[in-house]
């Protein structure tokens, strides 16, 4: 009997191992995916240098380090050479003008890169910005740069909806919301000055609960972001929202941002069905009343809670022409659609021209979770988290569960 | 013949309110409360959400000291918590507005669900700790 159980156990283990190695991505016809790195840790955002050196930002230290530089020295398409540096966890990473920028949850650092795009002083980065709010919740600091020497950083609101008591049923919203002075928006800093604090930066845009995906669109020279919308509409207001509405609402949103704009959090949320800014029930809303007339509208509303974690405008020539200047968005997948199934462990594409969507969004790459139905997010084998475009025009996708990186190419090799 | 008392005991266990003078609420009430107040964050399987919501499985916070567990529900938890080397950041608001009986029911439920096999929490135990906390403030 004991042996039989042991046998069953070993079969189960080997089946699991096989399943983990066989996550097959579903892609549009003609595209192919290759796993180019595995088991790199909790890989959040990724960035690539012009010579193909890939940088990964880790949410959990690996041997005491939070940045991985990967190289494919033998040119077989798989990254095998790694260098670990940076003693801080975080999400944001970017390469610009022979500098590597990386964020912790309260600061931004800069590493000068040598001719091979390796950090010259891996132990001594320049500290560009420090002292940003980090209260655990929504603490990740995503970054991107424009072409005129500025860096943009998300400072997520350490709150769900700016209640007097965070996430407590019945606790009213704070009017005006004091969090917005130092969080709940995008801040702009100089990309080259050292030791900047809030006083040196500009609150570039506000009313953004938690931006995790952001990218500079070079076609129209503007900042675009993807926002994680609020939680707990159904749980806290069952008289206004049923379970289905609570799973679908509010929309996860995609905005084009200009300096000084306000996207309305916490006072309103975007209802993607009504296509309206609906007043939050904590601020007197009833699911119908509109609010915040001054606030801008998003370019697109996605189903609720899918967690858009990365945004990338495609500028390559490898993919078919319809992809040029369109947006790829990596969705991390939801945790708070229960009692419905969790959804959205995928990469989405939205065709765009002149900075404006020209059609509906579509699922571009799916199957990362390795499972048809996900009830709880920890069942997902992989969760997409970061995106970058390789010099040859391929799209790279990172995963923060098992630390895989996929390279998606066209046409089939 | 010997099996009858065991069956009775099991019945008593499942419908403990009827066996212990209504002090330990039954599991149906606990499950209902869990679905209503806890499941969206702690998940249907009690597994929590990586980096956000702590799991209710394989942790002494749930199966261990009842006083600590009751206190978390009554006061909420506003600091990051470390469980099995993983940090969880999302705050939990106080559930002090639930009755002592409801808190006992839901805590009993989580201590006996998701593979947990711990003891029940009684209404009296919650009342006692609520009083102690009130005296402290």
């Amino acid at each position: 009997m004991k042996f039989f159980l042991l046998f069953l156990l070993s079969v189960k283990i080997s089946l699991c191992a096989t399943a983990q190695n066989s996550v097959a991505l579903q892609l549009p016809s003609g595209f192919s995916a290759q796993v180019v790195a595995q088991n790199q840790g909790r890989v959040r955002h990724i960035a690539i240098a012009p010579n193909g050196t890939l940088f990964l930002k880790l949410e959990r230290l690996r041997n005491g380090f939070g940045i991985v530089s990967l190289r494919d020295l033998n040119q077989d398409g798989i990254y095998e050479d790694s260098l670990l540096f940076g003693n801080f966890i975080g999400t944001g990473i970017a390469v610009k003008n022979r500098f590597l920028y990386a964020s912790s949850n309260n600061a931004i650092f800069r590493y000068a890169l040598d001719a091979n795009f390796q950090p010259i002083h891996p132990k001594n980065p320049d500290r560009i910005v420090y002292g940003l709010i980090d209260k655990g919740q929504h603490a990740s600091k995503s970054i991107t740069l424009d072409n005129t020497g500025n860096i943009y950083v998300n400072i997520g609101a350490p709150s769900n909806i700016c209640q007097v008591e965070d996430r407590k049923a019945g606790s009213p919203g704070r009017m005006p919301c004091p969090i917005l002075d130092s969080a709940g928006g995008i801040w702009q800093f100089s990309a080259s000055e050292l030791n900047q604090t809030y006083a040196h930066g500009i609150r570039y845009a506000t009313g953004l609960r938690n931006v995790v995906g952001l990218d500079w669109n070079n076609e129209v020279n503007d900042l675009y972001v993807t926002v994680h919308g609020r939680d707990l509409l159904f749980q806290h207001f069952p008289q206004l929202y049923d379970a289905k509405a609570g799973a679908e609402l509010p929309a996860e949103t995609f905005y084009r941002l200009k300096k000084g704009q306000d996207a309305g959090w916490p006072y309103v949320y975007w209802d993607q069905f009504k296509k309206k800014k609906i007043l939050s029930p904590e601020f007197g809303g009833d699911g119908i009343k509109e609010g915040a007339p001054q606030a801008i509208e998003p370019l697109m509303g996605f189903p609720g809670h899918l967690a858009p974690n990365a945004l990338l405008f495609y500028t390559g020539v490898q993919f078919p022409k319809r992809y040029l200047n369109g947006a790829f968005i990596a969705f991390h997948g939801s945790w708070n659609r229960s009692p419905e199934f969790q959804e959205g462990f995928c990469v989405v594409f939205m065709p765009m021209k002149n900075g404006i969507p020209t059609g509906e969004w579509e699922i571009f790459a799916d199957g990362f979770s390795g499972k048809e139905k996900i009830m709880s997010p920890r069942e997902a084998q992989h969760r997409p988290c970061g995106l970058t475009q390789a010099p040859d025009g391929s799209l790279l996708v990172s995963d923060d569960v098992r630390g895989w990186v996929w390279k998606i190419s066209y046409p089939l090799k | 013949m010997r099996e009858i008392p065991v069956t009775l005991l099991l019945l008593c266990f499942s419908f403990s309110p009827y066996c212990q003078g209504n002090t330990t609420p039954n599991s149906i009430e606990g499950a209902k409360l869990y679905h209503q107040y806890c499941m969206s964050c702690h998940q249907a399987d009690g597994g929590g959400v990586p980096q956000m919501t702590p799991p209710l499985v394989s942790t002494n916070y749930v199966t261990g000291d009842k006083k600590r567990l009751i206190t978390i529900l009554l006061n909420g938890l506003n600091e990051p918590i470390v469980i099995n080397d993983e940090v969880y950041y999302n705050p939990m608001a106080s559930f002090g507005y639930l009755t002592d009986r409801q808190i006992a029911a839901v805590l009993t439920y989580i201590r006996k669900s998701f593979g947990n096999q711990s003891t029940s929490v009684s209404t009296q135990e919650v009342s006692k700790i609520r009083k102690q906390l009130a005296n402290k403030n």
Side-chain angles (χ1 to χ4, degrees):
Chain A
M1 185 63 193
K2 230 181 209 172
F3 285 113
F4 180 63
L5 281 177
L6 272 175
F7 169 71
L8 275 182
L9 200 67
S10 63
V11 168
K12 201 176 169 197
I13 288 166
S14 61
L15 279 176
C16 286
T18 314
Q20 276 177 25
N21 288 323
S22 67
V23 170
L25 299 189
Q26 292 100 54
L27 298 163
S29 163
F31 285 87
S32 65
Q34 181 186 18
V35 178
V36 293
Q38 280 180 294
N39 309 324
Q40 295 293 330
R42 303 269 174 85
V43 183
R44 298 286 288 175
H45 284 174
I46 55 178
I48 200 160
N51 70 344
T53 299
L54 179 64
F55 296 100
L56 318 174
K57 189 74 201 75
L58 305 182
E59 194 169 51
R60 195 178 200 182
L61 296 182
R62 239 178 84 191
N63 306 328
F65 298 108
I67 303 173
V68 185
S69 155
L70 291 177
R71 292 191 291 179
D72 175 19
L73 295 177
N74 63 9
Q75 307 256 316
D76 67 347
I78 310 287
Y79 289 104
E80 77 288 333
D81 175 77
S82 66
L83 169 76
L84 280 88
F85 59 100
N87 61 358
F88 52 93
I89 61 161
T91 289
I93 196 148
V95 177
K96 188 92 180 174
N97 303 334
R98 218 168 275 276
F99 284 104
L100 175 72
Y101 296 83
S103 68
S104 70
N105 286 343
N106 58 26
I108 306 171
F109 299 91
R110 184 182 76 164
Y111 297 83
L113 301 173
D114 66 18
N116 294 316
F117 292 93
Q118 292 294 285
I120 297 167
H121 304 293
K123 286 183 181 162
N124 297 301
D126 296 331
R127 189 176 66 177
I128 304 289
V129 182
Y130 72 101
L132 304 179
I133 276 190
D134 169 14
K135 291 186 177 174
Q137 189 180 179
H138 305 152
S140 67
K141 303 287 183 286
S142 301
I143 52 173
T144 193
L145 292 99
D146 64 17
N147 299 306
T148 51
N150 299 302
I151 190 164
Y152 300 82
V153 56
N154 166 61
I155 306 177
S159 166
N160 178 33
I161 191 75
C162 207
Q163 291 168 280
V164 173
E165 280 186 80
D166 188 25
R167 294 175 189 266
K168 182 167 188 174
S171 178
R174 301 171 74 184
M175 189 76 193
C177 174
I179 290 172
L180 292 168
D181 294 345
S182 57
I186 302 291
W187 265 254
Q188 182 197 53
F189 291 96
S190 159
S192 53
E193 277 176 47
L194 305 191
N195 297 315
Q196 300 168 85
T197 63
Y198 275 106
H200 303 89
I202 293 166
R203 190 178 75 173
Y204 190 77
T206 190
L208 297 152
R209 178 177 175 273
N210 185 32
V211 166
V212 186
L214 77 176
D215 195 15
W216 189 263
N217 182 326
N218 287 309
E219 187 195 13
V220 297
N221 235 3
D222 257 333
L223 180 69
Y224 287 70
V225 300
T226 56
V227 189
H228 288 209
R230 60 159 303 165
D231 306 320
L232 300 169
L233 277 176
F234 157 61
Q235 288 81 8
H236 285 182
F237 300 94
Q239 72 281 17
L240 300 177
Y241 304 88
D242 61 20
K244 179 100 179 123
E248 291 295 330
L249 292 173
E252 303 287 59
T253 45
F254 175 57
Y255 287 95
R256 177 180 189 166
L257 294 177
K258 292 192 179 290
K259 192 172 166 181
Q261 285 184 329
D262 173 7
W265 181 91
Y267 313 113
V268 290
Y269 65 83
W270 183 249
D271 182 321
Q272 70 271 36
F273 305 107
K274 296 189 176 94
K275 298 206 187 306
K276 282 177 179 167
K277 290 172 287 174
I278 302 298
L279 195 61
S280 302
E282 290 82 355
F283 294 86
D286 57 3
I288 298 162
K289 255 187 265 174
E290 296 174 54
Q294 86 293 347
I296 57 169
E297 293 186 0
L299 294 175
M300 190 63 73
F302 298 96
H305 314 299
L306 303 194
N309 268 18
L311 170 66
L312 179 133
F313 289 102
Y314 187 74
T315 57
V317 292
Q318 185 191 106
F319 289 6
K321 210 156 179 211
R322 69 181 291 262
Y323 290 92
L324 185 64
N325 298 316
F328 285 101
I329 300 170
F331 284 91
H332 201 216
S334 69
W335 59 268
N336 48 356
R337 289 172 66 91
S338 70
E340 307 283 314
F341 284 106
Q342 306 300 344
E343 299 277 359
F345 305 83
C346 63
V347 177
V348 153
F349 176 73
M350 193 162 40
M352 291 177 69
K353 203 178 173 187
N354 300 323
I356 296 162
T358 54
E360 274 303 305
W361 59 275
E362 64 203 35
I363 291 178
F364 176 74
D366 204 358
F368 294 92
S369 71
K371 237 181 132 180
E372 189 83 357
K373 297 276 182 201
I374 297 275
M375 199 66 224
S376 167
R378 68 179 182 144
E379 296 166 17
Q381 287 191 36
H382 307 278
R383 301 179 75 182
C385 193
L387 295 171
T388 193
Q389 185 188 312
D392 70 359
S394 305
L395 180 71
L396 273 68
V397 184
S398 65
D399 141 50
D400 68 350
V401 179
R402 291 190 160 78
W404 287 25
V405 179
W406 286 262
K407 182 175 188 171
I408 300 176
S409 307
Y410 183 95
L412 281 164
K413 278 182 191 160
Chain B
M1 190 62 202
R2 270 183 62 213
E3 307 209 332
I4 290 168
V6 175
T7 316
L8 274 177
L9 205 69
L10 280 174
L11 271 173
C12 277
F13 186 73
S14 328
F15 300 96
S16 42
Y18 307 105
C19 291
Q20 295 175 23
N22 232 20
T23 58
T24 305
N26 71 47
S27 60
I28 296 166
E29 185 178 358
K32 225 175 129 184
L33 289 161
Y34 183 80
H35 279 244
Q36 188 176 349
Y37 295 106
C38 320
M39 190 175 77
S40 65
C41 297
H42 289 288
Q43 304 297 312
D45 63 355
V49 183
Q51 283 97 59
M52 302 176 89
T53 312
L56 305 176
V57 289
S58 311
T59 168
N60 195 260
Y61 275 99
V62 173
T63 53
D65 181 20
K66 290 188 203 178
K67 185 177 174 180
R68 180 171 70 175
L69 183 61
I70 294 166
T71 304
I72 288 174
L73 238 74
L74 289 172
N75 283 353
L77 191 66
N78 275 311
E79 276 154 18
I81 182 171
V82 179
I83 291 175
N84 302 329
D85 296 329
E86 188 75 56
V87 190
Y88 297 89
Y89 292 104
N90 270 13
M92 184 177 84
S94 155
F95 282 89
Y97 58 88
L98 298 180
T99 65
D100 294 346
R101 184 191 161 85
Q102 286 176 312
I103 289 174
V106 78
L107 290 183
T108 298
Y109 176 77
I110 64 169
R111 280 163 69 90
K112 293 178 184 297
S113 300
F114 325 120
N116 292 337
Q117 295 177 327
S118 194
T119 53
S120 302
V121 173
S122 72
T123 306
Q124 283 88 337
E125 284 170 303
V126 178
S127 307
K128 192 176 133 197
I129 288 161
R130 196 194 286 270
K131 249 176 237 153
Q132 284 174 7
L133 292 173
N135 289 340
K136 241 191 228 169
N137 294 332

